[in-house]
């Protein structure tokens, strides 16, 4: 497994669960100094990820790109995949597709988390799931052209009513033949929604595509009450070799959170 840490390029997401907020260059420098293998980028849009420049920057610091988030489509533009208006849904898809292409050129997958949406006015739960399946099909195919999976992230109940449990999401992907889509397993959300996070990881096996390495309170692993040992044992037993990426609050400071994350990574995952 490899370590990664989040860099947020979106001022509106300053209060979000991201460690570094002072631009890509400073974020990469800090990530490399603390000892991470990779960075996970949360851009305002694909325009924030100029491929050649980002590649040069991460490579200069001996890093790679673990994944690129799409949540700014929701945070900044209120775009999501279950909007009742087809034209707005199409814009949401275009926003994500552009990030899939930039991430793909950087050898990384894109994440659908906050942009998945939820049941809403004029959109029943079944209709929302049908919209989600359609979008994941189109966008998963797009990701596969880059040799990347598309990462779909079940969230906790306060952020979506589509999928909150990993096993149900995995069954949905299976039923719809969405073979290009893998699951992003965020240990913060799983702490809320899963009876046994380690067992949930074992049950979905090779659908695990990425892991957000966060403690129960969304602080760095070791600052809450999650026991990472059975979780890492489960990931090993399913043969997971991807990233453990610190999508966490920068508390008490960005640097403290980064150092605690890498320490927990080294203690439990290497
Ligand atoms: C995104 O990765 C996520 O976990 C959501 O809770 C948005 O913050
Ligand atoms: Mn997450």
């Amino acid at each position: 497994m490899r370590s990664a840490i989040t860099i947020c390029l979106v001022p509106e997401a300053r209060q979000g669960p991201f460690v570094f907020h002072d631009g890509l260059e400073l974020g990469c420098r800090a990530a490399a100094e603390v000892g991470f293998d990779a960075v996970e980028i949360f851009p305002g849009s694909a325009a924030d990820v100029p491929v050649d420049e980002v590649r040069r920057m991460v490579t200069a610091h001996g890093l790679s790109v673990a994944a690129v988030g799409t949540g700014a489509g929701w945070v900044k533009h209120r775009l999501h995949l279950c909007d009742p208006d087809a034209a707005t849904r199409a814009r949401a898809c275009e926003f994500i597709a552009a990030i899939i292409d930039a991430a793909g050129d950087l050898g990384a997958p894109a994440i659908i988390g906050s942009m998945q949406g939820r049941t809403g006015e004029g959109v029943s739960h079944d209709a929302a799931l049908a919209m989600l399946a359609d979008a994941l099909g189109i966008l998963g195919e797009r990701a596969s052209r880059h040799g990347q999976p598309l990462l779909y992230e079940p969230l906790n109940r306060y952020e979506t009513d589509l999928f909150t449990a990993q096993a149900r999401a995995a069954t949905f992907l299976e039923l719809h033949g969405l073979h290009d889509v893998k699951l992003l397993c965020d240990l913060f959300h799983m702490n809320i929604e899963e009876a046994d996070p380690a067992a949930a990881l074992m049950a979905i096996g090779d659908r695990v595509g990425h892991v957000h390495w966060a403690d129960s309170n969304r602080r760095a692993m070791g600052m809450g009450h999650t026991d990472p040992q059975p979780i890492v044992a489960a990931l090993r037993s399913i043969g997971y070799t991807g990233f453990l990426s610190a999508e966490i609050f920068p508390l008490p400071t960005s640097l403290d959170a980064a150092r605690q994350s890498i320490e927990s990574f080294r203690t439990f995952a290497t």
Side-chain angles (χ1 to χ4, degrees):
M1 283 174 256
R2 289 161 290 164
S3 60
I5 190 156
T6 44
I7 300 175
C8 174
L9 306 178
V10 181
E12 294 92 330
R14 179 105 221 162
Q15 304 306 318
F18 307 107
V19 179
F20 296 122
H21 292 265
D22 297 319
L24 204 50
E25 169 61 31
L26 286 180
C28 284
R29 186 181 305 172
E33 275 172 14
V34 177
F36 285 90
D37 298 316
V39 291
E40 179 177 319
I41 304 170
F42 188 85
S45 70
D48 279 353
V49 197
V51 171
D52 292 340
E53 202 180 315
V54 174
R55 188 186 293 120
R56 223 176 303 117
M57 211 181 282
V58 292
T59 309
H61 290 286
L63 298 163
S64 60
V65 178
V68 183
T70 61
W74 167 246
V75 173
K76 282 170 74 105
H77 309 293
R78 288 299 185 246
L79 288 171
H80 65 86
L81 299 175
C82 299
D83 194 287
D85 178 57
T88 311
R89 280 203 307 283
R91 281 207 293 132
C93 264
E94 282 160 24
F95 183 94
I96 294 169
I99 292 182
I100 288 173
D101 289 345
D105 288 345
L106 289 162
I111 297 168
I112 296 182
S114 309
M115 279 199 76
Q116 66 189 268
R118 53 164 68 219
T119 302
E121 217 170 294
V123 180
S124 67
H125 196 247
D126 282 352
L129 292 183
M131 289 172 188
L132 179 69
D134 276 356
L136 292 180
I138 293 163
L139 296 168
E141 195 274 326
R142 182 122 181 177
S144 76
R145 285 189 230 156
H146 296 278
Q148 293 294 331
L150 175 65
L151 299 174
Y152 170 70
E153 180 176 21
L155 303 174
N156 73 68
R157 65 193 68 184
Y158 306 107
E159 296 187 43
T160 188
D161 61 356
L162 299 184
F163 289 103
T164 53
Q166 300 291 336
R168 293 190 66 178
T171 303
F172 173 81
L173 298 180
E174 215 54 59
L175 273 175
H176 289 274
L178 295 165
H179 304 299
D180 301 320
V181 183
K182 294 224 176 208
L183 293 172
L184 197 176
C185 304
D186 182 322
L187 297 173
F188 164 71
H189 298 307
M190 292 178 76
N191 166 68
I192 296 171
E193 299 296 345
E194 306 285 354
D196 180 342
L201 292 166
M202 300 268 276
I204 60 169
D206 63 7
R207 278 285 184 182
V208 179
H210 194 69
V211 172
H212 278 160
W213 182 243
D215 213 318
S216 52
N217 50 5
R218 219 169 206 183
R219 292 179 64 166
M221 188 62 87
M223 291 182 167
H225 59 72
T226 294
D227 179 1
Q229 196 277 326
I231 288 168
V232 172
L235 290 169
R236 284 208 176 100
S237 81
I238 59 173
Y240 179 72
T241 56
F243 288 100
L244 301 183
S245 184
E247 188 195 58
I248 53 172
F249 292 121
L251 296 172
T253 68
S254 295
L255 210 51
D256 290 322
R259 287 187 177 133
Q260 174 58 38
S261 284
I262 204 71
E263 192 182 319
S264 64
F265 176 85
R266 286 179 179 148
T267 305
F268 293 98
T270 58

